[in-house]
Each structure stands twice: as C-alpha cells, then as structure tokens.
Amino acid sequence: MAAEVNLAQLRALVAVADAGGFGSAAAELGVSQSAVSHAVAALERALGAPVLHRGAPARPTPLGERILPHARTAVASAAAVHAIAAHHSGGLTGTVRLAAPTTVCQGLLPGLLRDWRAAHPRLTVRVFEGEDDELAVWLEAGTVDAAVLVDTATAPPGAVALGRDAMHALLRRDHPLAGEAAVGVADLEDDDFLLSEGGCEQQVRKAYRRAGIRFTPRHRIRDLNTLIGMVHAGVGVSVMPALAQPMLPPECVLVPLRPAVHRTLTLTGPAGRPWSPAVSGLLAAVRTGRSDAPAT
C-alpha cells in the first residue's frame, strides 16, 4: 500500500517553498532542519517524485509547483480549524500572515499592530512587505492570509476601507519648491524625476495625464529607501504617498500635489476561500474603531 501524505509533510513543503531553504523553514516551523528534511523526503517517497530542487534557494519542481496550491489550502484549513476551536474557547490565537506595501508598513501598520496586540495578546501577526502588484497574487495564492491592497477594483464582503492616502512631491528641504503649500507636476519639470517601480507608479502616471504632460522619468528605482537616498543626495525629485513620511530623513520634505491625487487602501482577506476567525477578528477590530484612524 502506498504511503499516505500527511499535514506535516505539506506544511514542510510550504515552509521551504516560502522561506527558500530548509534552515529558514525549520526556524519558521520551530523544529529542527533535520525534521523538515525528513518530512519533505517522506512526501517525495509518498508521491514517487521530487517536489523540491535542493539548492540556494530551494525551489519547487514542476510537480511541487502543481501541488503547492493544494498544500497551502490544506495547511490554511488546518490552521483555521485550530483557530475556530480556540475562538470557541475564548479569544483569538494562532498566526496571521499580513502583506502590505512598504509605505503602509512604515506609516500605518505600527498603530494597527499595537492595537491588535492589546486586543488579542495570544494572536501573532507576521508582516510581509511587498510591492503593490504582488499583494493580491500572494493573497489569492495563500502565501499570506490578509493584505492591504492598493486601489483594488473589487473587495470581498468583510473587507475594510482604511481610507485614502494623498500623493506628495518628495523634495530636498533646500529645494525652491519645498516651502510651497502645494505643487503641480508641471512645477517638477526642471528636475530629474525618480520613479519608484515598487509602488505608486499608477498614481504618478495619473497625475501626469491630468496635467497633460509627457511622463519621462530619468531614473527607475525599485527600492524605496534607495529612491529617498537619491533625493536626499540631490539627484532629483519624486512623488510618493503621505504614509512615506516616517521613512524620510530631516533633509527631505513632502509637499502635497495640486490637483490632489490619492490611492485607496483596503484591508482584506482572500476572495477565493473562507477567512480564518483570526483574520475576521482583526478586520472586525478595525471596523469597530479599536485601531488607528484611516490614512488621509
């Protein structure tokens, strides 16, 4: 009789695929690296084929890629069963994996995490920082349990609108426009424009379309901290949301755009599968006002 696949094996596969290595997966699961290796090996014996390429980083084989979504579903469902039982006994417990853009992680999540910890001390929230276009993919694939999505067209029932976040010009404090109450993108034409590819490109392009100006960034930069450093060094100017304020050095300022351009932020669970009680509980805390005020 063929060996059966069990939850521990699937949990090990998911952990290695997400962490990129057996050692990191072991730390994530709170077990030894040997235990993770044995679980993956047992899964491969049960399936009769490898599910992971051993390397740096470790990555799924074609078979592993096909079964990984089902493994994620099984692991998430088991976690939900435990969470339901814990909630029935009183209070939320377990772990919620939450993804958000960098600026949200910097400017909004610290307050949310503080209030969630106070309301649900037995619940752990693990934050995953990602780019705007990655978050919905992670959420629906089961890589994370909840996410703060930017300008999402549709959201499932129970999602929470966190508010609108206004876009601002990012300038050095000694820039001629730094003391203005607001600036238009046309005012930035004399400076080299630095574009953050990790997020907010859609909103920046919208501002330029409204102004009827051709958008020609001089530099395209993926890492937001690198972009801020380049503005700080006087290489150019940029546009980013108000929630980026905590990331800025004292020598840089944010000046509101005129006319105003916003992005909307929505905290939600996945659209394609039931939410765990822990995710529902966190969102309920925001809806009832026990967390930070929405972004503006």
Side-chain angles (χ1 to χ4, degrees), residues 42-264:
L43 175 62
E44 292 175 330
R45 287 194 299 272
L47 298 178
V51 296
L52 289 169
H53 292 294
R54 274 68 169 172
R59 55 188 178 82
T61 64
L63 174 61
E65 289 284 4
R66 291 183 62 186
I67 67 173
L68 193 55
H70 302 287
R72 292 191 192 282
T73 299
V75 171
S77 295
V81 168
H82 287 292
I84 290 169
H87 185 55
H88 180 74
S89 301
L92 297 179
T93 188
T95 299
V96 171
R97 298 164 299 171
L98 172 65
T102 300
T103 51
V104 173
C105 290
Q106 293 278 342
L108 184 60
L109 280 191
L112 290 173
L113 292 171
R114 178 197 62 219
D115 292 347
W116 285 335
R117 183 168 55 246
H120 305 291
R122 298 170 59 201
L123 183 68
T124 299
V125 179
R126 295 186 57 227
V127 175
F128 293 79
E129 193 175 283
E131 298 174 5
D132 291 3
D133 57 358
E134 293 178 320
L135 305 180
V137 176
W138 290 357
L139 185 59
E140 298 310 321
T143 304
V144 297
D145 309 301
V148 177
L149 302 183
V150 176
D151 291 342
T152 182
T154 59
V160 177
L162 296 178
R164 299 197 305 168
D165 188 19
M167 306 303 294
H168 290 60
L170 173 63
L171 311 171
R172 276 177 56 102
R173 192 171 292 277
D174 59 2
H175 191 281
L177 299 174
E180 297 294 321
V183 299
V185 292
D187 300 325
L188 307 177
E189 286 288 277
D190 291 336
D191 296 275
D192 289 341
F193 192 91
L194 314 178
L195 176 65
S196 169
E197 294 185 324
C200 298
E201 180 173 354
Q202 175 182 339
Q203 292 80 16
V204 174
R205 290 187 177 277
K206 179 179 180 180
Y208 274 83
R209 283 196 304 270
R210 283 185 177 179
I213 300 173
R214 183 181 177 185
F215 182 54
T216 53
R218 175 60 63 90
H219 303 289
R220 304 177 69 91
I221 301 160
R222 193 170 188 85
D223 183 79
L224 202 54
N225 285 301
T226 301
L227 184 148
I228 293 170
M230 292 178 72
V231 172
H232 181 209
V235 175
V237 301
S238 190
V239 168
M240 59 179 49
L243 284 177
Q245 181 63 53
M247 304 177 66
L248 303 185
E251 296 80 9
C252 292
V253 297
L254 292 176
V255 180
L257 286 186
R258 178 188 62 242
V261 177
H262 297 84
R263 61 176 184 168
T264 61

Side-chain angles (χ1 to χ4, degrees), residues 24-46:
S24 299
E28 171 68 24
L29 295 174
V31 299
S32 68
Q33 182 171 336
S34 175
V36 175
S37 297
H38 283 305
V40 172
L43 175 62
E44 292 175 330
R45 287 194 299 272

